[in-house]
Amino acid sequence: METISEARAYEGVQGVYSHSSHTTGCDMTFAVYMPPQAKYGPVPCLWYLSGLTCTHENAMTKAGLQAHAAEFGLAIVFPDTSPRGDKVADDEAYDLGKGAGFYINATEKPWAPHFKMEDYIVKDLRALVQNAFEVLDSHGITGHSMGGHGALTLAMKYPELFRSLSAFAPIANPSQSDWGRKQFKAYLGDNEALWAANDASLLLKEAGWPSDILIDQGAGDQFLELLKPESLAAALAETRTPSTIRMQEGYDHSYYFVSTFGWDHVAWHAERLGA
Amino acid sequence: METISEARAYEGVQGVYSHSSHTTGCDMTFAVYMPPQAKYGPVPCLWYLSGLTCTHENAMTKAGLQAHAAEFGLAIVFPDTSPRGDKVADDEAYDLGKGAGFYINATEKPWAPHFKMEDYIVKDLRALVQNAFEVLDSHGITGHSMGGHGALTLAMKYPELFRSLSAFAPIANPSQSDWGRKQFKAYLGDNEALWAANDASLLLKEAGWPSDILIDQGAGDQFLELLKPESLAAALAETRTPSTIRMQEGYDHSYYFVSTFGWDHVAWHAERLGA
């Protein structure tokens, strides 16, 4: 692991690091915020997965979560959204290839060699974070848009790894959305049965979630037709999953929406992770 | 005035606007955050002046001040840092020309026709904001680096316009710094006596400031030699100006520093502006 930069923030440290990932077969950049409480011992850890076109940097600079992490004593990990580098396949569209890994393991050409973002998060980066930073084995996960999809699906697939779960404007039903069908077809192939295991609304009915879930969604979001919060809302109700899903009047899809409700989410995770 | 974008943030509105400025002779872009309290009547107004290379956008997206403005019920104005457009003179260096207006009125070629950022702020944009937004005639001013210089000098030059004053890591003594001498020579010419009227440490001894001042400065700032906080600290003490100047251990020049102490500054202004 190489340190790219470290800056003091809210008495803690906002760092940016890179490492060579065996899983994605390329160098990966990620950011970690360590709160001041980490000086006195390991702290719980919240994962924030970003949306389409983002890198590790967007939420790190725009979401304002570090203030809340310092208040509650949580670390926050900001991974990148795809493999990177000249060797990695890409597409001209903003929503396929680099910046659009969808937090799944691609099985199809040309994506399969590097687009293993599911394994990257839960294996490579998880192990690295656990070893290199003062974090407890008490992790939560959240994310925005494509990252909200990633948070929901990775938590439900790996409940042994994540104890708390929330999402901001998640792509909630990708197998029924143009933010999902195109990518699942490219990365996973034509067998739609495989898609269901990567669709939060379907996965919830299949696998469930052993704890509770917080979802915030802007009612003025310009991408509501693609996000399909109604599918997730229905699934949460049908499965009787303890949950809070809030349609926030007037808010759009931007980081102003994320930052506005950031405190609520960090507090949610802090309470459940023992921070 | 044209609306470029508006997004809900902390129950208020973060907008970006453009207008044709008579003073700078070009279209100017600026941002305003209006807090939720503005629904019920006009609110006090804080000006945030940005540093070298910035536009209206940097602090708007990275400083996290909107949360505090919504807490206290203040508007925040984020002006650009220079005139813009193909007609406007520029220099290859990052610290001269576009993005480096220094909040002064240039008198020298080729800068004089457009580089009138002092008048732009205190005349054009002030009048526009006062007319187009629900703000009281109760304004404060702050800023970062070159913008801290701008906040200090504009407040001292126009105490009738600004009732409260603070700065983050200001260029505190530009007439004795490479962040200042080069620009003052280019914009104002060789007569160093003219420079003094645009140097906070000198202006304070000449003009004074009728209220109090809050300054935060990272003790780990990579630009301390250029910022020269010691000159301003000495001037504040010599003039017996009510003031708080804090050297913050470990903090650098980044927006993590600004955001960490943003609440303190907004609270400072809110108290003095009657928010």
Side-chain angles (χ1 to χ4, degrees):
Chain A
M1 187 178 89
E2 185 190 341
T3 299
I4 295 173
S5 67
E6 288 187 331
R8 186 170 288 205
Y10 302 95
E11 302 293 310
V13 177
Q14 178 61 63
V16 178
Y17 311 93
S18 73
H19 69 125
S20 174
S21 164
H22 176 72
T23 301
T24 63
C26 62
D27 286 344
M28 299 291 292
T29 301
F30 66 99
V32 174
Y33 177 71
M34 291 303 293
Q37 294 85 345
K39 294 171 201 157
Y40 308 108
V43 294
C45 183
L46 175 61
W47 292 68
Y48 181 98
L49 304 185
S50 284
L52 288 164
T53 78
C54 290
T55 68
H56 68 282
E57 194 177 9
N58 301 65
M60 176 183 85
T61 54
K62 298 198 289 188
L65 300 175
Q66 294 91 347
H68 321 316
E71 178 181 346
F72 290 103
L74 278 177
I76 306 186
V77 182
F78 302 94
D80 202 348
T81 58
S82 76
R84 303 283 176 181
D86 294 340
K87 293 179 302 181
V88 173
D90 200 7
D91 188 277
E92 288 182 3
Y94 76 98
D95 60 357
L96 189 67
K98 291 177 188 172
F102 267 77
Y103 307 102
I104 60 181
N105 293 329
T107 56
E108 302 299 302
K109 290 181 183 173
W111 312 107
H114 298 287
F115 282 76
K116 304 286 188 192
M117 288 301 291
E118 174 178 331
D119 280 357
Y120 170 68
I121 298 288
V122 301
K123 293 178 181 169
D124 279 32
L125 190 54
R126 168 77 172 222
L128 179 63
V129 166
Q130 198 72 57
N131 286 327
F133 297 87
E134 282 286 310
V135 297
L136 293 166
D137 188 15
S138 177
H139 294 240
I141 191 164
T142 187
H144 175 229
S145 196
M146 177 182 75
H149 145 77
L152 292 164
T153 54
L154 294 185
M156 290 183 223
K157 288 184 187 189
Y158 302 95
E160 71 281 12
L161 295 182
F162 299 105
R163 291 172 52 185
S164 59
L165 174 58
S166 76
F168 300 88
I171 300 176
N173 191 191
S175 67
Q176 300 300 320
S177 167
D178 286 342
W179 273 354
R181 295 187 63 81
K182 169 185 170 179
Q183 293 81 3
F184 286 1
K185 187 176 168 76
Y187 297 144
L188 301 174
D190 289 325
N191 182 356
E192 295 198 16
L194 295 178
W195 301 7
N198 298 291
D199 181 309
S201 295
L202 303 178
L203 196 55
L204 185 66
K205 292 187 229 183
E206 190 67 32
W209 170 246
S211 179
D212 48 5
I213 305 180
L214 170 64
I215 307 284
D216 272 307
Q217 171 62 58
D221 192 314
Q222 56 271 50
F223 300 114
L224 276 169
E225 297 297 318
L226 293 162
L227 299 169
K228 300 195 177 299
E230 60 279 8
S231 299
L232 183 59
L236 288 166
E238 284 170 34
T239 56
R240 314 293 192 253
T241 303
S243 55
T244 301
I245 181 163
R246 306 190 295 193
M247 296 297 290
Q248 300 284 9
E249 185 183 359
Y251 286 88
D252 65 15
H253 201 63
S254 71
Y255 266 95
Y256 296 116
F257 159 69
V258 174
S259 61
T260 297
F261 301 104
W263 189 92
D264 294 357
H265 285 247
V266 174
W268 172 278
H269 288 274
E271 186 180 347
R272 285 154 183 80
L273 296 175
Chain B
M1 187 179 89
E2 184 190 344
T3 300
I4 295 174
S5 67
E6 288 187 331
R8 186 169 287 204
Y10 302 96
E11 302 294 310
V13 178
Q14 178 60 63
V16 178
Y17 311 93
S18 73
H19 69 126
S20 174
S21 163
H22 176 72
T23 301
T24 63
C26 63
D27 286 344
M28 298 292 290
T29 302
F30 66 100
V32 175
Y33 177 70
M34 291 301 295
Q37 293 86 344
K39 293 171 201 159
Y40 309 108
V43 294
C45 183
L46 175 60
W47 293 67
Y48 181 98
L49 305 185
S50 284
L52 288 165
T53 77
C54 289
T55 69
H56 67 283
E57 194 178 9
N58 301 66
M60 176 184 85
T61 53
K62 297 198 289 187
L65 300 175
Q66 294 92 345
H68 319 316
E71 177 180 346
F72 290 103
L74 279 178
I76 305 186
V77 181
F78 303 94
D80 202 348
T81 58
S82 76
R84 302 283 177 181
D86 294 341
K87 293 179 302 181
V88 174
D90 200 6
D91 188 277
E92 288 183 3
Y94 76 97
D95 59 357
L96 188 67
K98 291 178 188 173
F102 266 77
Y103 307 102
I104 61 181
N105 293 329
T107 56
E108 301 301 301
K109 291 181 182 173
W111 311 106
H114 299 286
F115 282 76
K116 304 286 188 191
M117 288 302 290
E118 174 178 332
D119 281 356
Y120 169 68
I121 299 288
V122 300
K123 294 179 180 169
D124 280 31
L125 190 54
R126 169 75 172 222
L128 178 63
V129 166
Q130 198 72 57
N131 285 326
F133 296 88
E134 284 285 311
V135 297
L136 294 166
D137 188 17
S138 178
H139 294 239
I141 191 164
T142 188
H144 175 228
S145 196
M146 177 183 75
H149 145 76
L152 291 164
T153 55
L154 293 185
M156 290 185 224
K157 287 185 187 188
Y158 303 95
E160 71 282 11
L161 295 182
F162 299 105
R163 291 172 51 184
S164 58
L165 175 58
S166 76
F168 300 87
I171 299 176
N173 192 190
S175 68
Q176 299 301 320
S177 167
D178 287 341
W179 273 353
R181 294 187 63 82
K182 168 184 170 180
Q183 294 82 2
F184 286 0
K185 186 176 170 74
Y187 296 145
L188 301 174
D190 289 327
N191 182 355
E192 296 198 17
L194 295 180
W195 301 5
N198 298 291
D199 181 308
S201 295
L202 303 178
L203 195 56
L204 185 66
K205 293 186 228 183
E206 189 68 33
W209 170 247
S211 179
D212 48 6
I213 304 179
L214 170 64
I215 307 284
D216 272 306
Q217 171 63 57
D221 192 314
Q222 56 270 50
F223 301 113
L224 276 169
E225 297 297 320
L226 293 162
L227 299 169
K228 301 196 177 299
E230 60 279 7
S231 299
L232 183 59
L236 287 166
E238 283 170 34
T239 56
R240 314 292 193 254
T241 304
S243 54
T244 300
I245 181 163
R246 307 189 295 192
M247 295 297 290
Q248 300 284 8
E249 186 183 357
Y251 286 89
D252 65 16
H253 201 63
S254 71
Y255 268 95
Y256 296 116
F257 160 68
V258 175
S259 62
T260 297
F261 300 104
W263 187 93
D264 294 356
H265 285 248
V266 174
W268 171 277
H269 288 274
E271 185 179 347
R272 285 155 183 78
L273 297 175

